[in-house]
């Protein structure tokens, strides 16, 4: 079976790996001209950790953790008012977990498939037509080809979803926050800490990237826009939204590179993840936002489960239904949990910021580990011991 995967990110590459392992023939088209650069840190545990273990890449990931020992929430003077310690994190997770750069994971996934799977970089879909027996696609260079199935693993703003299921607005739950992230030089003598500083309507986060002398800046701000600013206006938007902010924010802005990642914070909520010979995977159908800290894990779990279902007897319709039945309720539960936190992530008023500081102080305690564990739903969705 020849299966086209649109998107060579976490979901797409994991799916390619498992389809190949199960005897199918995946072809990946990835919009960027090369493996992506830059990136942001991710927490990695549960289902993602299990899938990475089964792929044999976990040692490589474990060897490149982010040098972060604690997450600090700062007051206006830059002093920590609450701290998520490794001991508390252990109690919440009750299982292996690592913090990584997203690119570390993508590189490992790419290396796991590059010798066995055809990957076409710098390519995107422009048209999709389905018939009884095939999916006929047109690429952005005008080339046409037929595949047995198509999987859209092309992220939150999925092109496949747009072409087959309709416009993003029908499925996006916009959360009123945009985020920007970029690497900066460590001119502060930064320690092994991830620090969060919040003012009404904006938040600055800084942590080490793992590259010597380099940090990552993450800036979040409230807005009702449903699209990120175009690349050429991004710096201007940040400068306006973060003007006058305390802590080290002015120097974070000074360090902004010419081009950087910026996006809306949104969840993708869909009643069905497949139509005919086309299915969606990862953020394309189930984005939960960074607040869930499980987008990567669920993207990998979904890809694993989809490949498993497709390898069984019974045809693609049964496989797609099985995949959706196993994954959609798990994703929906995590989306509901993340929504509670996402809505209060960047308070808009001084009173809201004070309440957030107080709540983080109360909740970052051992006594609340079980609550946090339940709230996030950190367990793996994969059956134990199975491959
Ligand atoms: C700041 C931030 C922090 C996060 N923190 C965490 C965390 O702590 N833990 C966690 O698990 N998750 C986290 N996430 C979420 C996680 O990054 C995503 O859920 C995950 O990357 C989804 O994987 P994906 O493969 O579905 O999509 P993506 O990683 O977005 O990959 C999609 C791929 O498709 C490609 N593509 C896009 N359009 C096209 C097209 N038209 N044609 C071909 N290719 C295309 C893209 O270039 C990309 O390679 C975070 C996200 C952000 C933004």
């Amino acid at each position: 079976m020849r299966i086209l995967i649109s998107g060579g990110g976490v979901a797409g590459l994991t799916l390619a790996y498992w389809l190949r392992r199960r005897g199918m023939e995946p072809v990946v088209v990835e919009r960027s001209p090369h493996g992506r650069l830059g990136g942001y840190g991710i927490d990695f545990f549960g289902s993602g950790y299990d899938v990475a273990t089964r792929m044999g890449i976990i040692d490589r990931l474990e060897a490149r953790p982010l040098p972060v020992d604690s997450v600090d929430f700062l007051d206006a003077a830059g002093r920590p008012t609450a701290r998520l310690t490794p001991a508390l994190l252990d109690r919440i997770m009750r299982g292996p977990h690592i913090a990584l750069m997203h690119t570390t994971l993508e590189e490992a996934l790419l290396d796991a498939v590059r010798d066995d799977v055809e990957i076409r970089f710098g390519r995107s879909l422009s048209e999709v037509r389905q018939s009884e027996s095939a999916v006929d696609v047109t690429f952005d260079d005008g080339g046409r080809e037929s595949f047995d199935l198509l999987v859209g693993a092309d992220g939150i703003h999925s092109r496949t979803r747009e072409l087959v299921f309709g416009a993003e607005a029908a499925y996006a739950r916009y959360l009123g926050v945009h985020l920007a992230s970029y690497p900066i030089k460590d001119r502060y003598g930064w320690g092994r800490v991830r620090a969060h500083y919040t003012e009404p309507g904006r938040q600055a986060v800084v942590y080490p990237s793992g590259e010597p002398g380099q940090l990552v800046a993450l800036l979040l701000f409230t807005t009702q826009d449903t699209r990120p600013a175009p690349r050429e206006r991004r710096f201007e938007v940040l400068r306006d939204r973060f003007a006058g902010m305390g802590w080290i924010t002015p120097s974070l802005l000074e360090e902004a590179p010419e081009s950087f990642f910026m996006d809306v914070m949104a969840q993708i909520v869909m009643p069905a993840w497949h139509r005919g010979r086309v299915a969606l995977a990862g953020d394309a159908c189930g984005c939960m936002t960074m607040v869930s800290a499980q987008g990567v894990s669920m993207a990998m779990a979904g890809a694993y489960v989809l490949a498993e279902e497709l390898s069984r007897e019974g045809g693609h319709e049964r496989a797609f239904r099985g995949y959706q039945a196993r994954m959609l309720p798990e994703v929906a539960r995590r989306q509901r949990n993340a929504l509670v936190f996402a809505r209060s992530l960047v308070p808009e008023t001084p009173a809201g910021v004070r309440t957030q500081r107080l709540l983080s102080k109360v909740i970052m305690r051992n006594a609340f580990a079980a609550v946090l564990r339940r709230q996030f739903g950190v367990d793996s969705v994969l059956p134990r011991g199975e491959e």
Side-chain angles (χ1 to χ4, degrees):
M1 190 156 33
R2 229 171 143 242
I3 302 177
L4 178 65
I5 301 171
S6 171
V10 172
L13 295 174
T14 308
L15 180 63
Y17 176 91
W18 287 105
L19 289 176
R20 196 83 198 92
R21 268 285 284 269
R22 295 182 187 282
M24 290 166 265
E25 195 188 330
V27 172
V28 178
V29 285
E30 164 57 45
R31 184 179 56 182
S32 1
H34 42 68
R36 286 189 299 172
L37 301 170
Y40 45 83
I42 53 165
D43 293 303
F44 191 66
F45 52 88
S47 318
Y49 196 98
D50 284 354
V51 176
T53 304
R54 291 172 195 196
M55 291 174 75
I57 58 171
I58 202 67
D59 290 346
R60 176 169 170 175
L61 303 180
E62 293 269 20
R64 293 185 59 196
L66 288 185
V68 172
D69 291 337
S70 72
V71 181
D72 286 2
F73 299 87
L74 310 178
D75 66 12
R79 286 179 307 239
T81 54
R83 175 168 287 166
L84 177 59
T85 60
L88 178 54
L89 201 57
D90 281 345
R91 274 172 170 254
I92 296 170
M93 298 296 175
R94 287 211 312 242
H97 54 90
I98 19 173
L100 293 172
M101 287 304 280
H102 193 263
T103 39
T104 303
L105 176 61
E106 279 190 327
E107 278 162 22
L109 292 172
L110 195 55
D111 285 347
V113 296
R114 68 164 87 240
D115 292 339
D116 302 318
V117 174
E118 182 185 345
I119 304 179
R120 304 177 192 169
F121 288 105
R123 229 359 101 252
S124 185
L125 294 179
S126 56
E127 205 181 324
V128 176
R129 283 176 195 275
Q130 300 197 53
S131 67
E132 276 289 297
S133 56
V135 191
D136 303 317
V137 302
T138 308
F139 296 107
D140 55 357
D141 63 351
R144 293 181 178 188
E145 224 170 307
S146 285
F147 294 86
D148 294 305
L149 301 174
L150 164 65
V151 178
D154 34 16
I156 183 171
H157 305 298
S158 167
R159 178 83 174 130
T160 311
R161 188 185 61 226
E162 187 187 9
L163 290 171
V164 178
F165 298 79
E168 176 176 305
Y171 306 112
R173 186 186 276 158
Y174 296 108
L175 299 173
V177 173
H178 285 196
L179 47 99
S181 179
Y182 49 84
I184 56 171
K185 265 201 227 102
D186 180 5
R187 47 166 77 174
Y188 317 96
W190 202 261
R192 297 174 61 91
V193 67
R194 171 175 169 136
H196 290 241
Y197 173 68
T198 309
E199 288 186 2
R202 52 201 188 172
Q203 184 176 113
V205 182
V206 177
Y207 54 92
S209 74
E211 293 294 325
Q214 195 189 68
L215 306 172
V216 177
L218 170 66
L219 299 171
L220 302 114
F221 59 96
T222 54
T223 166
Q224 289 313 310
D225 288 346
T226 56
R227 301 295 300 175
R231 253 170 217 283
E232 66 280 5
R233 281 206 54 238
R234 288 183 183 174
F235 180 69
E236 194 185 320
V237 169
L238 281 193
R239 198 187 48 205
D240 290 351
R241 290 307 314 260
F242 288 84
M245 190 173 181
W247 191 47
I248 57 171
T249 317
S251 80
L252 300 181
L253 290 178
E254 263 171 41
E255 296 270 342
E258 225 163 78
S259 177
F260 53 85
F261 170 80
M262 185 183 263
D263 208 352
V264 297
M265 189 179 284
Q267 294 187 328
I268 299 296
V269 183
M270 300 182 76
W273 287 359
H274 55 96
R275 187 170 284 179
R277 292 182 165 270
V278 181
L280 300 173
D283 274 7
C285 54
C287 182
M288 294 170 288
T289 76
M290 58 172 268
V291 178
S292 78
Q294 292 181 71
V296 155
S297 289
M298 296 306 279
M300 291 181 78
Y304 177 90
V305 166
L306 178 54
E308 186 178 63
E309 292 288 333
L310 282 168
S311 70
R312 291 188 177 147
E313 295 288 318
H316 71 275
E317 282 175 26
R318 190 212 53 77
F320 286 170
R321 277 199 305 273
Y323 156 62
Q324 179 177 305
R326 286 169 69 184
M327 292 305 300
L328 194 147
E330 292 287 347
V331 167
R333 185 160 64 87
R334 286 163 174 78
Q335 285 179 322
R336 284 193 297 274
N337 294 344
L339 206 54
V340 179
F341 286 93
R343 291 215 161 111
S344 54
L345 184 66
V346 188
E348 298 233 55
T349 61
V353 172
R354 281 197 298 277
T355 309
Q356 187 192 56
R357 284 198 186 125
L358 197 68
L359 270 178
S360 357
K361 202 184 267 182
V362 172
I363 212 157
M364 294 299 158
R365 293 178 184 186
N366 287 347
F368 281 93
V371 178
L372 288 169
R373 183 181 165 74
R374 250 197 325 276
Q375 185 62 38
F376 279 100
V378 299
D379 292 325
S380 176
V381 299
L382 298 189
R384 288 276 145 212
E386 199 186 80
E387 185 180 293

